[in-house]
Amino acid sequence: MAKIKVTKTKSAIKRPKNQKLTLEAMGLRKIGQSNEFEVSDSVMGMINKVKHLVSVQEIN
């Protein structure tokens, strides 16, 4: 399975509650904080919901 690195790049202030909860579920609390995930449908759905607040990189 491919792995991706997700980094929080923008604040979640004044964002809908479901976006805040998605970021917290991904383990991203502070700007600049990163987490690695294996690519799956559920993870890609979470990233799609907050794609304007995070950056995504592939890990080889």
Side-chain angles (χ1 to χ4, degrees):
M1 290 290 269
K3 292 193 86 171
I4 53 174
K5 180 178 179 181
V6 181
T7 305
K8 184 175 178 181
T9 57
K10 292 188 178 181
S11 174
I13 295 174
K14 290 195 175 184
R15 299 291 176 184
K17 187 171 185 173
N18 64 345
Q19 291 178 5
K20 291 179 183 182
L21 292 174
T22 300
L23 287 171
E24 191 165 328
M26 296 177 77
L28 303 174
R29 289 172 175 72
K30 296 182 178 184
I31 294 175
Q33 190 172 11
S34 299
N35 207 348
E36 294 180 7
F37 299 97
E38 294 213 8
V39 177
S40 67
D41 289 340
S42 60
V43 170
M44 294 310 291
M46 293 168 78
I47 290 171
N48 193 36
K49 187 174 280 194
V50 293
K51 63 185 171 197
H52 55 288
L53 302 175
V54 299
S55 66
V56 181
Q57 297 175 331
E58 281 190 44
I59 299 175
N60 294 334

